[in-house]
Amino acid sequence: MNAASPALDSQLSAPRSPVIAIDGPSASGKGTVAERVARVLGFHFLDSGALYRLTALAAMKSGVALDDEAGVARLAAALPAGFHDGAIWLANEDVTDAIRAEAVGAGASKVAALPAVRAALLDRQHAYRQAPGLVADGRDMGTVVFPDAQVKVFLTASAEARAERRYKQLIEKGNSASLPDLVADMQARDARDTTRAVAPLKPAPDALLLDTTRMDVESAVQAVLAHFRSRS
Ligand code: DC
C-alpha cells in the first residue's frame, strides 16, 4: 500500500480520482494482480484485507474477544496501521509476516463479519482514494466501499486452483501443507465470506468477471489494464 497517510487526504479531491476495484475470494491472486496494475499505472494501492487482518491481530494482542463487536470496532477505529518501507506496521511493530498467519486470517474472517467493524474501517478506506488514482483490492470494493469505481473486476479461480496456488506458496516457504485440507479450508472460507449478512462477497452487477483458473498473473494484469483503458 503506497497511499499517503489517510489523515492527509482531502475529501474535496477524492471524487475526482479514478478507482479500479478488484474483488474476489481468498487466494484468487487478486492481491498480486492489483498491486501490479497499481504499479504500471502509478496508482495508490489499498489492500483492504490487510486492514481486517491488522484489526484481528490488534484484538488478539490486546485480549479483546473476536466476537466483542463494540470492543473490536473501537480498536478498528483507532487502528495504528502503517504501510511504508515495504512493510506493514501495527504502531511501530513490523507485522508483515504476522498478519499472514493462518490464525490471523481466520480471525480476520470473523471480525470482518461484524457490521460495526466494517463501518469503523470505511472512512479509512475512502481516504486512500487520492490522485492520480487507486487500485483497491478486497471483497466489497466495487459493491460497498467504492460503488462509483470506474472499473470493477471480480477475479476468481476454482477452489482447487486457488488451493494449489496456496499449497505451492506454503511449500516454497518450507511449511508442510495438505492439498485436500487446503481445498476444504478454501471452500469453508468462501462459504463464510459469501453468506455473511453484511457486505457478502459477490460480484458487482457491473464488474468484469475474470476467471484466472487457466490464466497466469501477467495475462490477468493485461486483462485488467485493457479493461481500464477501454473505460478511460
Ligand atoms: O484478502 P485477505 O485474505 O487478506 O482478507 C482477510 C479477511 O478479511 C477475509 O476473511 C475476508 C475479509 N475481507 C473482507 O471482509 N472485506 C474486504 N474488503 C477484505 C477482506
Side-chain angles (χ1 to χ4, degrees):
M1 197 176 308
N2 55 356
S5 162
L8 299 176
D9 180 53
S10 155
Q11 289 301 316
L12 288 175
S13 65
R16 286 193 290 272
S17 297
V19 174
I20 299 177
I22 304 187
D23 291 305
S26 293
S28 56
K30 65 188 169 10
T32 311
V33 171
E35 204 168 0
R36 289 211 198 170
V37 169
R39 209 175 309 139
V40 172
L41 296 172
F43 280 15
H44 301 286
F45 170 56
L46 167 63
D47 172 1
S48 61
L51 294 176
Y52 290 96
R53 287 173 181 268
L54 283 166
T55 302
L57 183 63
M60 290 154 99
K61 277 178 177 290
S62 55
V64 173
L66 295 176
D67 59 357
D68 172 358
E69 184 164 1
V72 180
R74 258 194 306 277
L75 284 176
L79 198 65
F83 298 88
H84 51 83
D85 300 321
I88 299 180
W89 305 81
L90 190 60
N92 50 11
E93 188 185 349
D94 179 348
V95 294
T96 314
D97 292 333
I99 61 162
R100 301 292 159 202
E102 283 305 307
V104 178
S109 172
K110 285 186 191 143
V111 302
L114 304 172
V117 172
R118 303 198 75 86
L121 290 175
L122 203 54
D123 284 349
R124 188 185 288 265
Q125 294 175 83
H126 288 155
Y128 283 96
R129 185 178 198 170
Q130 296 187 22
L134 174 70
V135 182
D137 144 33
R139 303 293 190 288
D140 61 344
M141 298 296 97
T143 50
V144 176
V145 181
F146 301 108
D148 62 335
Q150 282 75 359
V151 167
K152 299 179 187 178
V153 177
F154 193 82
L155 203 145
T156 189
S158 69
E160 290 73 15
R162 288 182 286 126
E164 221 161 277
R165 289 172 192 170
R166 178 68 48 90
Y167 180 80
K168 278 189 193 146
Q169 280 171 357
L170 288 168
I171 297 296
E172 270 164 21
K173 285 188 184 164
N175 299 303
S176 61
S178 143
L179 194 54
D181 286 356
L182 284 171
V183 174
D185 199 55
M186 210 62 82
Q187 286 165 337
R189 196 171 292 193
D190 286 356
R192 223 173 20 236
D193 288 346
T194 52
T195 57
R196 70 179 175 220
V198 55
L201 172 66
K202 63 165 191 235
D206 49 347
L208 169 76
L209 299 181
L210 204 59
D211 185 335
T212 66
T213 303
R214 286 184 192 78
M215 206 183 246
D216 62 14
V217 169
E218 194 44 41
S219 314
V221 168
Q222 292 308 323
V224 175
L225 287 171
H227 186 50
F228 173 68
R229 287 176 180 135
S230 76
R231 312 269 306 210
S232 299

